[in-house]
Amino acid sequence: MSFRHFFHRLVRKALVAPLVDWYERTHALRQFETLGRLGQGLRTHGTISLGSPANIELGDDVNINSGLVVQGSGHLRVGNHVHMGNDILILTTNHKIEGVPCLPYGHERISKDVVIGDAVWICDRVTITPGVSVGEGAVLSAGAVVNRDVPPLAIVGGSPAQVIRYRDEAEYQRLKEAGQYLGWPQQFDSINGK
């Protein structure tokens, strides 16, 4: 390894990476400060983009990984103990396509709320479209395009997402009653630093 190569790696590791981490955290904090509701125990990792933060409500113990994008002017309500993978896209607004004066769509936009229940696991690269409700305990498999309501405890996957199977309800209720949530209670909160 040449000195030049070593020096560039050192600069990236010692200067650039910490600056990028600081910028991502500061940008996320600014967005979270204007949320409609923010529960306790939020954990966030990496870049996020919240289109209309005042229309977003997050419950307790929400874990958000890098790449969350929320677009639109509709409301987003996220329950407690929800874990989101990388590169999640949640849409709350769409273009009107019927009874419009022009193609491919009209100027009017239609906002529809998205509701995500408690203890939902949203795997990597999931897209949720406007007006969808995700039931408690559901699992949205990696790459799923969720364009209709998801029943409680359902495991869905595909494009469009279909029910693959259901979680064991007795086991789910046992864990819920015992308060057995991954990493909860937390010792650290990304917003409050406690």
Side-chain angles (χ1 to χ4, degrees):
M1 176 185 322
S2 71
F3 176 75
R4 182 177 176 184
H5 183 73
F6 172 77
F7 180 74
H8 284 279
R9 286 184 65 192
L10 180 65
V11 167
R12 279 195 314 265
K13 189 172 186 175
L15 296 176
V16 175
L19 284 173
V20 169
D21 290 345
W22 171 83
Y23 172 78
E24 289 175 349
R25 179 169 167 69
T26 303
H27 181 67
L29 288 173
R30 271 190 252 129
Q31 293 177 82
F32 287 127
E33 288 172 350
T34 60
L35 288 180
R37 179 183 179 276
L38 177 60
Q40 297 177 3
L42 172 72
R43 284 177 291 181
T44 181
H45 316 279
T47 59
I48 61 164
S49 175
L50 307 177
S52 299
N55 292 343
I56 298 173
E57 300 175 14
L58 300 179
D60 294 337
D61 183 31
V62 173
N63 188 354
I64 301 172
N65 281 300
S66 183
L68 171 66
V69 175
V70 180
Q71 291 180 344
S73 57
H75 286 81
L76 169 62
R77 288 190 249 340
V78 178
N80 300 320
H81 311 292
V82 172
H83 285 234
M84 297 183 192
N86 292 302
D87 304 317
I88 307 296
L89 174 60
I90 301 173
L91 306 170
T92 62
T93 301
N94 205 346
H95 294 281
K96 183 176 179 182
I97 59 171
E98 295 180 2
V100 295
C102 56
L103 295 175
Y105 49 80
H107 300 289
E108 185 180 347
R109 292 177 177 253
I110 300 169
S111 294
K112 294 182 180 178
D113 298 348
V114 171
V115 178
I116 299 170
D118 292 344
V120 170
W121 177 21
I122 304 172
C123 298
D124 292 351
R125 290 180 169 66
V126 169
T127 299
I128 301 174
T129 62
V132 167
S133 290
V134 178
E136 178 180 347
V139 177
L140 310 182
S141 297
V145 177
V146 183
N147 63 354
R148 62 178 65 99
D149 291 352
V150 176
L153 303 180
I155 300 171
V156 301
S159 176
Q162 302 289 326
V163 175
I164 298 168
R165 66 182 179 88
Y166 287 86
R167 298 176 76 167
D168 182 300
E169 185 174 358
E171 178 185 39
Y172 179 86
Q173 291 302 331
R174 179 183 59 77
L175 292 169
K176 180 180 174 179
E177 289 169 10
Q180 296 295 311
Y181 297 102
L182 180 65
W184 185 258
Q186 295 181 27
Q187 304 302 316
F188 183 78
D189 182 312
S190 291
I191 300 300
N192 299 317
K194 297 178 186 177

